[in-house]
Amino acid sequence: MKVGIKVKFWGVRGSVPTPGVKYVKYGGNTACVELRLPDNQLFIFDAGTGIRELGNSLCNDVKKLNAHIFLSHFHWDHIQGLPFFMPSYVKGNQIIIHGMDLEGAKLDKILSNQMESIYFPVKMQSLAAEIQFRKLSDESNIIEGAEVDTMYINHPGQAMGYVVTFKKTKICYFTDNEIPPAWAIETIPLRYRPDTREKILKLISGADLLIHDAQYTDEEYKTKVGWGHSPLTEVAKLAEDAEVKRLALFHHDPDHFDDNIDVFMANCKETESCNVTECFAAQEGMELHF
Ligand SMILES: [Zn+2]
Ligand SMILES: [Zn+2]
């Protein structure tokens, strides 16, 4: 029975936006995923360029907006859309931005910095909506009646993964996370946390949906060890070990055209390790219901 949760992908691309005819099927906007709880509460994961169109669609609604934005980290492809999120310019809207602090840089400062006049004409402080910042670390919270578990993952400069559980439905968002094959572990820089996979497995166990970084083919990964993104086979294995029901491959490489992702998917389906019930490449505009 469906509980009434909706997930919609507004941006699925990693690293940099990719406009153009080679990217029509999967889309060129960077990371942004909408999660709607049954009472219409709005959670948004990441504020890549995909958040612009999501924001525009929200402005059609006459009611005042209350939204929670959860950031995985602060690389451009995850925050660059934020200044173009139109609900921020509407008085009476309330937007709560959740994310981690970094050493020597707090969440609010990191985000307002990208709206300093050198980079953008409107300062964060002059936005009309009420913007709040909430610091998260490795922990468990209840937000709008949902359990939100967070954990640090493997990515240069730090990143955070999210698991939202609402009435036993579990949705997991793990982008920009490197799950290395055994042969690569020794060559990964010191900051790599070897227990990450174990911790993720526990958190995502039996999930209804796992959205996970799968930027590289296994072959491509060989020259990208330590870059903070995962090869396909390891992601498929993780999903299978955790017995997740649906696996959405996410954070597509900017050099992967539509045709490449089609082949990528075909390979995933042929892989012995990919036995999850449903495995697919996330696509801009795609909606899932739970
Ligand atoms: Zn990224
Ligand atoms: Zn990143």
Side-chain angles (χ1 to χ4, degrees), residues 73 75 77-78 155-156 176 229 251:
H73 64 311
H75 288 158
D77 49 327
H78 301 263
H155 196 63
D176 296 58
H229 302 287
H251 205 274

Side-chain angles (χ1 to χ4, degrees), residues 52-241:
R52 188 185 65 84
E53 276 193 64
L54 166 59
N56 291 349
S57 77
L58 296 171
C59 285
N60 298 330
D61 203 336
V62 282
K63 277 198 280 180
K64 291 300 173 203
L65 182 84
N66 180 288
H68 294 266
I69 299 177
F70 298 90
L71 298 173
S72 62
H73 64 311
F74 312 110
H75 288 158
W76 279 333
D77 49 327
H78 301 263
I79 61 165
Q80 209 169 23
L82 201 55
F84 301 92
F85 185 57
M86 278 307 133
S88 312
Y89 295 82
V90 179
K91 201 168 169 18
N93 284 346
Q94 188 188 48
I95 297 161
I96 303 168
I97 302 178
H98 305 257
M100 59 195 175
D101 283 350
L102 294 179
E103 228 177 272
K106 290 203 180 302
L107 171 68
D108 58 338
K109 193 74 186 141
I110 296 168
L111 295 173
S112 57
N113 276 354
Q114 81 156 345
M115 294 178 75
E116 281 301 318
S117 54
I118 300 171
Y119 307 108
F120 196 73
V122 184
K123 281 190 189 299
M124 177 77 92
Q125 295 83 340
S126 53
L127 292 174
E130 186 198 333
I131 315 271
Q132 291 178 24
F133 297 92
R134 292 210 192 137
K135 183 194 141 193
L136 294 173
S137 54
D138 218 325
E139 62 196 2
S140 187
N141 291 284
I142 301 290
I143 299 169
E144 306 289 1
E147 188 180 330
V148 180
D149 293 309
T150 51
M151 69 168 279
Y152 293 119
I153 50 183
N154 277 322
H155 196 63
Q158 195 62 274
M160 187 164 263
Y162 291 91
V163 175
V164 177
T165 310
F166 186 87
K167 292 193 177 156
K168 294 192 180 158
T169 300
K170 202 191 260 193
I171 311 288
C172 311
Y173 182 75
F174 285 77
T175 187
D176 296 58
N177 180 44
E178 181 167 355
I179 309 168
W183 63 263
I185 289 175
E186 299 253 304
T187 59
I188 289 191
L190 281 179
R191 53 152 192 84
Y192 173 70
R193 300 159 196 265
D195 61 341
T196 305
R197 190 182 192 277
E198 242 1 75
K199 282 180 75 180
I200 294 177
L201 265 183
K202 267 195 202 135
L203 263 188
I204 69 172
S205 169
D208 297 273
L209 173 67
L210 169 63
I211 300 166
H212 200 288
D213 180 310
Q215 182 153 350
Y216 304 130
T217 63
D218 295 355
E219 194 54 35
E220 286 166 340
Y221 178 78
K222 289 177 185 166
T223 56
K224 320 271 186 187
V225 176
W227 288 29
H229 302 287
S230 291
L232 176 63
T233 300
E234 294 304 315
V235 179
K237 270 193 212 153
L238 176 83
E240 197 197 0
D241 289 353

